Amino acid sequence: MDDASAKPRGFDAATLAQTPGVLHGVIDSGDLSGAVTLVWRKGEIAQVNVLGQRDIARSAPMERDTLFRIASMTKPVTSVAALMLMEEGKLALADPITRWAPEFADMRVLTSPTGPIGDTYPSPRDITIEDLLTHRAGLAYGFTSIGPIAHAHQKALGDVLNTDTGPDAWMGALASLPLSFPPGERFHYSHATDVLGFIVGRIGGSGFRDFLMERILGPLSMTDTDFYIPPAKRDREAVVYRLEEDSGALEPVPFRQYDAPPAFCGGGGGLISTADDYLRFARMLLGHGEVDGVRLLKPETVRLMTANRLTPAQREITFMGMPFWAGQGFGLGLSVITDPEKQAWMGAGSKGAFGWPGAFGTWWQADPAQDMVILYMIQNSIPLGPEAVAQLATGQRMGARVALPMFQKLVYGALGEA
């Protein structure tokens, strides 16, 4: 169903009304099970679309409170947690992480990022907190890597979304692998934010999940956001689907269910949330660290977080095989549009708009120039095994992903006077 009661403040209603039809087309084609989209602007909900099914086998429709695995949309939440500790003087961007994570002392770096695991040299310096926040730590993901290191990650770490490994054992396993690049050299998407989260937990003393619950999720009333789905809420879960190329059908991707918080609560991609819950978080950042009287960060910290920190040379390096950084940069856990005319991989947005997507197709953007937050929630899996970066765009029917820029452009095309 579509929420037709939403008032499109500051939008051309007819243009905005085209959104559900476009998304319905992708759902009807069989590329996507369903979607929840939300547009908030200038203090009001402008549009909510609730389309398709959250569970095809049960003919269960999407609902506004459907629970989504938001994957890397977890990273900005973890980054905020670390920056809260920075404001309290408990860590600094320049601090070496070995202060709290001695596992990462005396790291070694691959001579070639695609070469043999044993061909390494000593890291020229320790990884810092800023390196983790900007993905310049030299760490890796298996799916963003090519060669032996990609498979070594899979063997040492397994699937972080379906693991019983505790934080300490996992940190030790990651630290046993060589770095792909020297710290600070380049943006290389990685487990850096998982490491950051576990450091937050060590500094906080009660564990990473408890820190988030007590300091971020609780104060923001994000009551449906957690690292697992309690049994009482499980009926609201959206199934993650992948498109089987042979059959052309959407097939469920299995995830372990937990009746209590899992041992591994990863700050890089473990959260489950709803559109309205994440809207609270996005509005907090859009509000310079405050929403509805609840302040988590100082305005100057949010400015620091949303300012590009990549050098021009670092932005020349492709990301996932694409010229991703044309017209945008990366701050402390967020990407930010620096030139709307040049950026092509965020769909649409004003200069200064910021966000970060998730691997299962979820996406959000906060746009200060428009006083707007946009959310796009789907559950569409693409291959993320070792060396997936080399094959992400090959042989895939990408209708579910193409729908996102279509949605973005419709929203921005509908903008009118406030």
Side-chain angles (χ1 to χ4, degrees):
M1 78 178 202
D2 307 332
D3 187 346
S5 64
K7 178 184 176 183
R9 179 179 179 180
F11 290 92
D12 176 76
T15 303
L16 197 62
Q18 297 175 33
T19 303
V22 168
L23 297 178
H24 266 308
V26 179
I27 294 167
D28 293 344
S29 73
D31 284 348
L32 186 62
S33 58
V36 175
T37 69
L38 188 153
V39 181
W40 179 96
R41 190 179 186 221
K42 297 183 181 295
E44 295 182 358
I45 299 290
Q47 185 188 60
V48 176
N49 294 305
V50 182
L51 311 166
Q53 297 178 314
R54 68 180 186 271
D55 188 327
I56 296 171
R58 295 194 298 118
S59 298
M62 283 287 185
E63 303 286 356
R64 182 161 170 171
D65 66 351
T66 292
L67 294 161
F68 294 86
R69 295 181 185 273
I70 62 171
S72 287
M73 279 172 54
T74 306
K75 288 180 171 70
V77 182
T78 304
S79 301
V80 165
L83 293 173
M84 292 171 74
L85 291 175
M86 183 189 75
E87 287 189 350
E88 295 167 8
K90 295 177 180 177
L91 60 77
L93 296 181
D95 283 341
I97 68 170
T98 50
R99 179 176 171 188
W100 307 277
E103 301 97 324
F104 292 90
D106 303 318
M107 293 295 288
R108 299 189 67 84
V109 183
L110 290 172
T111 300
S112 166
T114 61
I117 296 295
D119 187 1
T120 63
Y121 61 92
S123 178
R125 66 168 174 81
D126 285 334
I127 298 168
T128 66
I129 294 293
E130 180 174 352
D131 291 332
L132 295 180
L133 282 160
T134 59
H135 290 278
R136 293 183 292 189
L139 297 165
Y141 278 130
F143 74 89
T144 61
S145 305
I146 299 293
I149 191 65
H151 298 276
H153 270 78
Q154 183 71 20
K155 182 178 179 181
L157 305 175
D159 178 0
V160 296
L161 297 181
N162 293 284
T163 182
D164 286 328
T165 304
D168 294 345
W170 185 88
M171 293 271 271
L174 178 62
S176 72
L177 300 172
L179 300 175
S180 294
F181 302 97
E185 180 182 283
R186 64 174 64 197
F187 180 103
H188 188 62
Y189 202 43
S190 74
H191 283 294
T193 317
D194 291 305
V195 174
L196 183 68
F198 292 139
I199 288 174
V200 167
R202 289 177 178 182
I203 295 173
S206 59
F208 176 55
R209 177 184 176 273
D210 286 349
F211 186 95
L212 289 193
M213 289 291 171
E214 295 167 7
R215 301 292 305 277
I216 297 178
L217 304 180
L220 292 183
S221 299
M222 295 172 66
T223 56
D224 281 326
T225 303
D226 206 335
F227 290 96
Y228 78 114
I229 304 175
K233 295 183 179 183
R234 212 159 283 165
D235 181 66
R236 293 163 50 197
E237 178 184 12
V239 175
V240 178
Y241 291 97
R242 65 169 156 248
L243 189 68
E244 293 294 335
E245 290 297 315
D246 292 340
S247 66
L250 292 172
E251 298 291 342
V253 177
F255 285 87
R256 294 184 61 178
Q257 295 286 8
Y258 297 89
D259 293 338
F264 188 93
C265 293
L271 283 177
I272 297 155
S273 191
T274 65
D276 282 287
D277 264 20
Y278 209 90
L279 175 64
R280 297 275 299 170
F281 176 77
R283 285 182 56 208
M284 179 274 297
L285 289 176
L286 187 67
H288 311 290
E290 182 270 338
V291 62
D292 295 339
V294 177
R295 177 164 294 282
L296 298 188
L297 292 174
K298 299 175 183 177
E300 54 265 36
T301 303
V302 177
R303 286 194 293 271
L304 193 69
M305 185 181 187
T306 57
N308 171 57
R309 302 179 83 82
L310 301 185
T311 67
Q314 288 169 341
R315 292 166 72 186
E316 290 293 322
I317 301 168
T318 61
F319 172 49
M320 304 297 283
M322 302 178 292
F324 189 85
W325 303 115
Q328 63 183 332
F330 198 82
L332 299 174
L334 295 163
S335 62
V336 58
I337 296 176
T338 56
D339 188 336
E341 297 301 317
K342 292 181 179 178
Q343 72 87 24
W345 300 103
M346 290 286 282
S350 310
K351 183 176 181 179
F354 57 85
W356 194 247
F360 303 132
T362 56
W363 174 90
W364 70 285
Q365 182 168 276
D367 190 328
Q370 294 293 342
D371 193 15
M372 181 167 68
V373 173
I374 315 173
L375 285 146
Y376 176 84
M377 308 291 268
I378 67 171
Q379 297 285 251
N380 171 250
S381 179
I382 55 178
L384 291 177
E387 302 191 274
V389 68
Q391 51 191 327
L392 276 179
T394 62
Q396 291 288 309
R397 215 167 77 199
M398 298 297 286
R401 300 306 173 108
V402 172
L404 173 57
M406 294 166 64
F407 166 66
Q408 295 162 330
K409 289 181 170 69
L410 273 172
V411 172
Y412 276 87
L415 284 170
E417 294 302 317

